[in-house]
C-alpha cells in the first residue's frame, strides 16, 4: 500500500464535487482547488455553473480570474464598478467578448453609468436570462428614452422571471410593458403613481411577488373606475415601502388583490386604526396569512401614554391575538412626542436608529417584548447608535436585562460620536450587537474627526471583535479639511481582515503611510484638505503599487489595489510551483 495519503476530497464523485463547487466562489475554485492535484484540475475544468461576483475583489485577482474563467461556463454574473473600481467594466470588456456568455442565466449590474448601459445590454445574450437586477449609478438625462427602450426589450423576454430595477421613476414610467409579461417576481426601487401599479399588474398575469418602493412624492389617485372592478388574482405577495398615501386610496388598491397571502406596509400616514384594518382584512383579504406593518403618524400636539394605549387597544381583539396571532407595538419617543410609531412584531424594517428604553413611551400586545425577546429584531440588518441619546443608566439597565445580543443579524453598524461617549460604551455595543455578523461599519462624529485618543483606543478593540468586517468608513461624510486623523490613527483602528477602507485623513502625505501599512486592502478612498503634493503621490503609486487603478485629486484619492502577493499566487501553491493555464 502506498504511504501517500490521498485527500478525501479527491475521492468524491464528480457530481458531489460539483455540488460542493456550487457553494464556493469562483476564486476559491480556480485559485485553490484547481491547483491541488490533476484530478481536481480536470473536475474543475468540467464545471460549468460559475457565479462571478465582482463586488469585492482586488484588481489583481479580478484580472487573474478573467484570464482563467471560460465565459461559456458562467451562469451568474455580478458587475459593480463602484467609485474605487470605476474602470472594472472597461477592463471586463477587454478580457471578454460578452457574446460568449451563452449560458448566462442571471445578470446583476450595480452602479452602472447610464451611458454604459446600451453597450452592455446590446452584447449580452438577453433572451437566455431568467433573472436581471439593475441599479443605475450616474444618470444621463439625454438617455432617458434609450434606457426605457432597452428595459422594455428586456421585460418582453420569454425566459425572464425575476426582475429588480433600482432607478428613477422617470425611467420606469416610460417603459412599455408587454401585454403578456411573464415575470413572476418584480421589485422596483422608485414609483410615484398608483396608476403605474395598475398598469404593471394588468400586463403581468404571472406576477406573484411585487415589491415597490415609492418616491418622496406619491400620486395615490386612482383615475379609472375600471381599476376598482379589476381583480389581480395572480398576486400573492405585496410589499409597499416609503408609502405616503390616503388610507381610502390605499384600500382601493389593496381591494383589487384579494389573493394576497403576504402584505408588508412601511410608510407615513393615517394607518393606526386597528378596527378599520380588522374589518378591511376580513372583507377584502381573506387569504392573508402574514401582515407586517411599520407606520408613523404626525400630529400637531404631543402624544401621551393615554394616546398610545387607545391605539394599541384596538389591536387586542380576538381577531389579532387569537385568530391571526399578529402582534403590535405602539410607541413615541420623548424627544419627538409628536411622532407615533405602530409596528408589527418582529420588526419588519431592515434599518433602525437605536433608542434607549428610557426615552420611549410604549405599549405592546406582545408580552415577550418585556423580556427582551431576541427574535423581534432579527429582520434588522442596519443599526445606528447616536451616543448623544445615551446615559450611564441606560447602559447599566440594558446590560442587566439582556441575556444575549438583542441584535443578532446586523451586517451594517453605524456609530455616531457627536458627543463624548459615556463610560463602557464599547462593551455596551458588544453586548447589544452580535459583532461577528457585522460586515460594514461606518464611524461619524466630531469626536472621531478630532482624533480623540480614548475613542480611537476603544474603537481599535471593538473593531477587532467584528471578525467578518470587510468594509470600514471613517468620517467620510465630514468636511475633510478639518480632519485631524493621522495614518497611525487610521491603521490602528483598521483590522487586518478589512478589505475596503474609506477615511478622512489629515493630509495627502498620510495616504502613502496608510497604504504601506494596510497591505490587506482591496480598495481605498481618502479625503483630505486641499494638497499640492498629488504628483508626489502619483509617482509613489506608480512605483509601489504598480498595476493598481487610481485617481489622485486635490481633495481625495481613490485606489483599486493590486495585491503584492498576487505574483506569488500565480506560481506557488503550498510547496509546489504551478503554472495556471487559461483554457478558453
Amino acid at each position: 500500500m502506498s504511504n501517500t495519503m490521498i485527500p478525501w476530497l479527491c475521492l468524491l464523485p464528480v457530481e458531489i464535487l460539483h455540488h460542493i463547487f456550487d457553494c464556493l466562489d469562483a476564486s476559491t475554485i480556480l485559485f485553490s482547488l484547481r491547483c491541488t492535484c490533476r484530478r481536481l484540475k480536470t473536475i474543475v475544468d468540467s464545471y460549468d455553473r460559475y457565479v462571478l461576483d465582482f463586488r469585492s475583489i482586488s484588481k489583481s485577482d479580478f484580472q487573474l480570474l478573467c484570464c482563467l474563467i471560460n465565459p461559456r461556463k458562467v451562469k451568474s454574473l455580478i458587475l459593480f464598478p463602484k467609485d474605487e473600481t470605476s474602470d472594472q467594466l472597461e477592463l471586463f470588456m477587454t478580457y471578454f467578448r460578452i457574446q460568449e456568455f451563452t449560458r448566462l442565466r442571471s445578470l446583476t449590474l450595480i452602479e452602472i453609468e447610464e451611458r454604459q448601459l446600451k453597450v452592455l445590454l446590446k452584447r449580452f445574450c438577453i433572451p437566455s436570462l431568467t433573472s436581471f437586477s439593475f441599479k443605475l449609478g450616474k444618470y444621463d438625462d439625454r438617455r432617458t428614452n434609450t434606457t426605457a427602450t432597452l428595459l422594455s426589450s428586456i421585460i418582453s423576454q420569454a425566459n425572464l422571471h425575476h426582475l429588480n430595477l433600482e432607478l428613477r421613476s422617470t425611467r420606469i414610467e416610460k417603459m412599455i410593458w408587454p401585454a403578456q409579461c411573464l415575470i413572476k417576481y418584480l421589485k422596483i426601487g422608485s414609483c410615484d403613481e398608483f396608476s403605474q401599479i395598475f398598469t404593471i399588474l394588468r400586463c403581468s398575469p404571472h406576477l406573484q411577488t411585487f415589491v415597490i418602493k415609492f418616491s418622496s412624492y406619491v400620486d395615490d389617485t386612482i383615475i379609472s373606475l375600471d381599476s376598482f372592478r379589476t381583480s389581480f388574482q395572480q398576486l400573492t405577495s405585496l410589499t409597499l415601502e416609503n408609502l405616503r398615501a390616503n388610507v381610502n386610496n390605499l384600500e382601493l388598491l389593496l381591494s383589487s388583490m384579494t389573493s394576497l397571502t403576504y402584505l408588508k406596509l412601511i410608510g407615513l400616514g393615517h394607518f393606526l386604526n386597528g378596527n378599520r384594518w380588522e374589518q378591511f382584512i376580513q372583507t377584502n383579504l381573506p387569504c392573508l396569512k402574514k401582515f407586517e406593518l411599520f407606520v408613523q403618524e404626525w400630529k400637531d400636539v404631543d402624544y401621551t401614554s393615554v394616546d398610545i394605549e387607545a391605539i394599541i387597544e384596538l389591536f387586542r381583539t380576538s381577531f389579532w391575538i387569537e385568530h391571526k396571532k399578529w402582534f403590535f407595538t405602539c410607541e413615541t419617543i420623548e424627544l419627538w412626542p409628536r411622532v407615533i410609531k405602530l409596528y408589527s412584531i418582529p420588526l419588519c424594517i431592515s434599518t433602525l436608529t437605536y433608542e434607549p428604553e428610557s426615552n420611549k413611551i410604549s405599549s405592546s400586545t406582545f408580552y415577550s417584548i418585556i423580556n427582551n425577546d431576541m427574535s423581534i429584531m432579527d429582520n434588522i440588518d442596519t443599526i445606528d447608535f447616536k451616543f448623544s441619546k445615551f446615559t450611564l443608566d441606560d447602559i447599566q439597565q440594558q446590560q442587566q436585562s439582556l441575556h444575549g445580543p438583542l441584535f443578532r443579524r446586523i451586517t451594517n453598524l453605524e456609530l455616531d460620536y457627536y458627543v463624548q461617549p459615556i463610560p463602557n460604551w464599547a462593551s455596551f455595543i458588544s453586548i447589544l450587537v452580535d459583532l461577528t455578523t457585522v460586515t460594514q461599519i461606518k464611524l461619524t462624529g466630531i469626536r472621531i474627526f478630532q482624533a480623540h485618543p480614548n475613542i480611537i483606543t476603544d474603537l481599535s478593540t471593538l473593531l477587532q471583535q467584528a471578525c467578518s468586517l470587510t468594509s470600514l468608513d471613517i468620517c467620510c461624510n465630514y468636511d475633510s479639511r478639518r480632519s485631524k486623523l493621522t495614518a497611525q490613527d487610521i491603521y490602528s483602528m483598521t483590522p487586518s481582515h478589512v478589505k475596503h477602507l474609506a477615511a478622512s485623513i489629515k493630509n495627502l502625505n498620510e495616504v502613502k503611510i496608510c497604504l504601506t501599512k494596510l497591505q490587506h486592502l482591496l480598495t481605498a478612498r481618502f479625503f483630505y484638505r486641499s494638497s499640492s503634493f498629488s504628483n508626489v503621490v502619483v509617482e509613489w503609486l506608480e512605483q509601489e503599487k504598480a498595476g493598481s487603478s487610481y485617481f489622485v485629486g486635490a481633495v481625495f484619492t481613490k485606489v483599486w489595489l493590486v495585491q503584492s502577493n498576487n505574483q506569488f499566487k500565480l506560481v506557488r501553491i503550498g510547496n509546489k510551483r504551478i503554472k495556471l493555464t487559461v483554457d478558453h
Side-chain angles (χ1 to χ4, degrees):
M1 180 182 293
S2 172
N3 291 327
T4 303
M5 293 186 63
I6 302 175
W8 65 268
L9 195 63
C10 296
L11 301 177
L12 294 175
V14 174
E15 294 79 8
I16 293 180
L17 283 169
H18 280 185
H19 280 297
I20 293 174
F21 294 172
D22 289 342
C23 302
L24 302 176
D25 59 79
S27 298
T28 300
I29 298 170
L30 290 169
F31 297 167
S32 299
L33 289 175
R34 189 174 185 268
C35 304
T36 304
C37 65
R38 291 181 179 178
R39 182 170 186 265
L40 275 181
K41 178 183 181 300
T42 302
I43 294 172
V44 167
D45 289 345
S46 67
Y47 181 66
D48 61 359
R49 300 194 295 268
Y50 284 101
V51 175
L52 286 187
D53 186 348
F54 291 133
R55 283 177 291 187
S56 178
I57 190 169
S58 69
K59 185 177 180 181
S60 45
D61 281 356
F62 174 85
Q63 293 171 310
L64 181 56
L65 198 56
C66 289
C67 288
L68 290 174
I69 200 77
N70 183 339
R72 295 180 179 87
K73 296 181 178 181
V74 175
K75 73 168 186 177
S76 177
L77 174 63
I78 302 173
L79 290 170
F80 185 20
K82 61 179 180 178
D83 194 28
E84 296 89 336
T85 61
S86 55
D87 60 338
Q88 183 187 97
L89 192 56
E90 286 77 8
L91 275 174
F92 179 82
M93 294 176 70
T94 62
Y95 280 100
F96 298 109
R97 292 179 64 249
I98 296 180
Q99 296 89 336
E100 293 179 342
F101 287 86
T102 54
R103 300 188 72 253
L104 193 66
R105 297 296 177 264
S106 176
L107 176 61
T108 300
L109 305 175
I110 307 173
E111 299 293 342
I112 299 294
E113 294 185 19
E114 196 160 11
R115 65 177 180 84
Q116 300 169 321
L117 185 62
K118 182 177 180 180
V119 176
L120 267 177
L121 296 185
K122 286 290 186 181
R123 298 186 183 185
F124 276 113
C125 185
I126 298 300
S128 69
L129 292 180
T130 60
S131 175
F132 178 65
S133 296
F134 173 53
K135 182 178 181 180
L136 198 57
K138 188 176 181 180
Y139 287 82
D140 183 348
D141 288 338
R142 297 170 300 176
R143 304 175 189 271
T144 299
N145 292 331
T146 301
T147 298
T149 301
L150 287 169
L151 295 177
S152 299
S153 174
I154 289 175
I155 62 177
S156 65
Q157 301 302 317
N159 291 317
L160 189 68
H161 299 309
H162 187 288
L163 180 63
N164 181 1
L165 298 176
E166 293 192 46
L167 65 164
R168 292 174 185 167
S169 58
T170 52
R171 273 61 173 174
I172 296 176
E173 67 188 16
K174 288 182 177 293
M175 291 169 55
I176 299 175
W177 293 81
Q180 292 291 316
C181 183
L182 298 176
I183 292 172
K184 296 180 180 179
Y185 174 97
L186 175 61
K187 181 177 181 179
I188 56 177
S190 182
C191 176
D192 52 20
E193 293 182 358
F194 272 20
S195 59
Q196 190 175 35
I197 298 174
F198 281 107
T199 298
I200 293 173
L201 288 172
R202 287 194 194 97
C203 298
S204 307
H206 301 278
L207 186 62
Q208 298 170 359
T209 301
F210 200 179
V211 180
I212 305 163
K213 185 173 183 179
F214 289 99
S215 310
S216 55
Y217 170 76
V218 181
D219 182 357
D220 60 1
T221 56
I222 302 174
I223 300 174
S224 173
L225 291 176
D226 291 337
S227 300
F228 304 156
R229 307 185 187 98
T230 305
S231 181
F232 303 108
Q233 297 293 325
Q234 75 275 24
L235 196 67
T236 59
S237 175
L238 177 68
T239 297
L240 302 178
E241 298 183 11
N242 201 30
L243 176 66
R244 290 171 172 82
N246 178 280
V247 66
N248 295 320
N249 289 339
L250 176 62
E251 288 181 347
L252 286 173
L253 174 69
L254 296 178
S255 62
S256 67
M257 307 170 184
T258 56
S259 297
L260 285 180
T261 60
Y262 173 79
L263 175 62
K264 180 196 286 189
L265 301 176
I266 300 174
L268 179 67
H270 302 295
F271 307 126
L272 306 181
N273 191 326
N275 184 52
R276 182 168 181 168
W277 275 118
E278 180 178 336
Q279 293 179 11
F280 178 80
I281 291 171
Q282 287 179 320
T283 304
N284 298 282
L285 302 175
C287 302
L288 196 63
K289 296 179 180 179
K290 190 171 185 179
F291 178 43
E292 295 189 313
L293 187 71
F294 188 97
V295 292
Q296 300 180 77
E297 184 176 316
W298 295 65
K299 71 174 185 177
D300 295 333
V301 295
D302 294 353
Y303 284 98
T304 66
S305 58
V306 175
D307 298 318
I308 300 293
E309 285 298 332
I311 292 170
I312 203 66
E313 187 64 29
L314 298 179
F315 291 90
R316 288 197 171 107
T317 65
S318 59
F319 170 80
W320 299 106
I321 303 295
E322 298 172 13
H323 177 51
K324 291 296 188 179
K325 294 182 173 58
W326 295 337
F327 304 98
F328 297 86
T329 295
C330 186
E331 71 179 30
T332 188
I333 307 299
E334 289 184 346
L335 293 176
W336 303 98
R338 296 189 177 187
V339 181
I340 198 166
K341 298 176 185 177
L342 175 69
Y343 53 86
S344 53
I345 301 296
L347 271 78
C348 62
I349 55 173
S350 60
T351 301
L352 179 71
T353 297
Y354 182 78
E355 292 286 348
E357 292 300 318
S358 61
N359 292 350
K360 298 178 183 177
I361 302 173
S362 66
S363 184
S364 180
T365 64
F366 185 58
Y367 71 92
S368 294
I369 199 169
I370 301 172
N371 300 319
N372 286 304
D373 188 311
M374 310 305 177
S375 65
I376 67 173
M377 298 295 181
D378 280 354
N379 290 323
I380 306 294
D381 60 32
T382 300
I383 189 166
D384 183 6
F385 289 93
K386 299 184 185 300
F387 290 103
S388 59
K389 299 182 178 182
F390 290 86
T391 66
L392 186 58
D393 288 342
D394 293 327
I395 290 183
Q396 292 174 344
Q397 179 183 352
Q398 195 67 275
Q399 287 175 330
Q400 292 171 3
S401 62
L402 285 176
H403 304 292
L406 181 60
F407 299 97
R408 305 183 298 183
R409 299 180 181 178
I410 299 297
T411 56
N412 300 319
L413 176 62
E414 299 182 12
L415 305 176
D416 298 340
Y417 301 86
Y418 292 98
V419 297
Q420 175 67 31
I422 52 184
N424 301 320
W425 67 268
S427 61
F428 171 65
I429 295 296
S430 62
I431 291 173
L432 201 62
V433 177
D434 183 355
L435 293 173
T436 63
T437 66
V438 175
T439 60
Q440 300 182 57
I441 292 181
K442 182 177 182 180
L443 309 174
T444 61
I446 194 69
R447 295 293 176 174
I448 296 180
F449 206 63
Q450 293 180 340
H452 197 284
N454 291 339
I455 293 180
I456 290 175
T457 300
D458 289 342
L459 273 172
S460 300
T461 303
L462 182 74
L463 296 180
Q464 288 294 337
Q465 298 177 50
C467 57
S468 301
L469 182 65
T470 59
S471 179
L472 178 60
D473 182 325
I474 305 175
C475 290
C476 282
N477 62 336
Y478 259 66
D479 182 356
S480 55
R481 292 172 297 179
R482 298 165 54 202
S483 178
K484 296 182 180 179
L485 289 167
T486 64
Q488 182 174 351
D489 296 327
I490 299 295
Y491 67 71
S492 68
M493 285 190 286
T494 306
S496 59
H497 46 272
V498 167
K499 302 301 181 185
H500 309 280
L501 174 66
S504 289
I505 199 165
K506 190 174 182 179
N507 57 54
L508 183 55
N509 282 332
E510 300 286 323
V511 171
K512 295 191 297 182
I513 303 173
C514 263
L515 292 177
T516 301
K517 293 285 187 179
L518 301 174
Q519 294 288 333
H520 48 85
L521 293 179
L522 305 182
T523 66
R525 188 159 33 109
F526 297 98
F527 298 85
Y528 39 80
R529 61 175 61 91
S530 182
S531 175
S532 58
F533 298 105
S534 58
N535 290 337
V536 176
V537 175
V538 168
E539 292 175 4
W540 180 84
L541 286 169
E542 288 288 350
Q543 181 177 352
E544 301 296 330
K545 302 293 179 182
S548 299
S549 297
Y550 61 84
F551 172 84
V552 180
V555 294
F556 77 95
T557 290
K558 59 181 181 179
V559 189
W560 185 17
L561 291 152
V562 168
Q563 290 184 309
S564 58
N565 65 343
N566 187 253
Q567 294 302 317
F568 177 82
K569 184 181 351 183
L570 278 170
V571 297
R572 186 176 293 276
I573 303 292
N575 295 320
K576 299 180 180 179
R577 293 179 63 84
I578 298 175
K579 180 181 179 182
L580 298 180
T581 58
V582 181
D583 297 321
H584 278 208

